[in-house]
Structure formats: structure tokens, C-alpha cells
Amino acid sequence: MRKFIILLVSILSVNFVLAQATTEADKPVYLRFPTVPQFTVFQAPDSTAFTRDDLAKKKSTIFFIFSPDCGHCQMETAAIIKNIKKFKNTQILMVTHFPYEAMIQFYKQYKIANYPQLLMARDTKYFLPVFFSVRNFPSIFVYDKNGNFKKAFEGDVKIDDIVKEL
């Protein structure tokens, strides 16, 4: 028993000594650089390029990173559309890195073209999922009208929680 206690204390001591403090470099990129990043995505349905410079001025921006075959993404999209009036001063960029065909099917299914606040696009270089350290779908990142980061959400989120951050 004494050997076990000595071993346990030794392991805990080593862990304590080797533990590293969280540094600025350990934070996700979007927290280290808390403004809308430079990006290029390709819009549905015609694959025209869309960049940070194309964002509407003086409107809040939401990056909605999704997978077309994700059930939670589908439910979140339906909830946003149902509550679209709450987003009248917001632009929502629905971005996926999945194949064009899957994105277009999603685009048509949810009639995204009918909602001027919504823009669906493909991130062919996988830039935004890396920038935002996406681990789950959907992932939602809210920026204020000045382009400053406000809040991140992963998975299911209530529409009113998103709207509160705008």
C-alpha cells in the first residue's frame, strides 16, 4: 500500500510540474483576433466569390458553420427561417466545406434564396472551420455591426440566445 501511495504522489507531482499555463497562443484563432477574418467563400447557387469586403456595412454578422446532412443543422436552419424577422439587421453566412451538390440540395430544400439575410456558401479551402476551431455542427459565431466578436455557440442553440447577442 505504501508503494502505491508513493507512486500516486510521484505521478501527481510530475503532472503538476509539467502542467502548462494557458497562454495567448493556446486560444483559438478567433479569440486571439476578435474581428471578422479575411475569407473567401463561394456562394450558392452560382459559386461566385464572396469575401469579408462583401459583407453588409453596419449589420451584425453570424457565421453558421454547418454540414448539409447534420440533423441539428437542419433543425437550426428551420428555426432561423421560422424566426427570420428577428434577424432583419443581421446577415447570416451559412458556410459548409462539404461538396457543392450537397450544399445545393440543402439550399433548395430550405429555399435559402427567399431570405435576403441568408447567404449560403462553400469554403473550399476549409479556412473558417480552422479559424473558428469547429468541433461540432452547427457552430455559430456572432459578430456585432462593427465586426467585433461577441459569442460562439456549438450544437443546438435557442434562437433567442443568438438574438440576445446581436
Side-chain angles (χ1 to χ4, degrees), residues 73-138:
C73 300
Q74 294 165 8
M75 289 189 302
E76 199 70 43
T77 300
I80 288 170
I81 289 170
K82 181 179 176 185
N83 292 279
I84 198 69
K85 289 181 181 175
K86 294 180 179 182
F87 297 101
K88 66 181 176 186
N89 293 317
T90 305
Q91 54 195 338
I92 302 172
L93 276 70
M94 300 180 68
V95 179
T96 187
H97 65 278
F98 285 88
Y100 174 81
E101 296 77 21
M103 177 189 69
I104 288 300
Q105 182 179 358
F106 195 95
Y107 178 83
K108 290 176 181 176
Q109 178 182 350
Y110 289 95
K111 299 178 174 77
I112 301 300
N114 293 343
Y115 306 98
Q117 298 96 315
L118 302 179
L119 174 109
M120 185 171 287
R122 261 187 94 222
D123 182 355
T124 59
K125 298 198 187 298
Y126 200 73
F127 171 76
L128 291 172
V130 171
F131 179 82
F132 289 121
S133 300
V134 171
R135 294 175 299 181
N136 297 302
F137 295 122

Side-chain angles (χ1 to χ4, degrees), residues 43-58:
Q43 300 180 72
D46 59 2
S47 294
T48 55
F50 186 90
T51 69
R52 177 175 78 176
D53 296 335
D54 297 316
L55 291 172
K57 307 298 182 234
K58 299 300 178 189

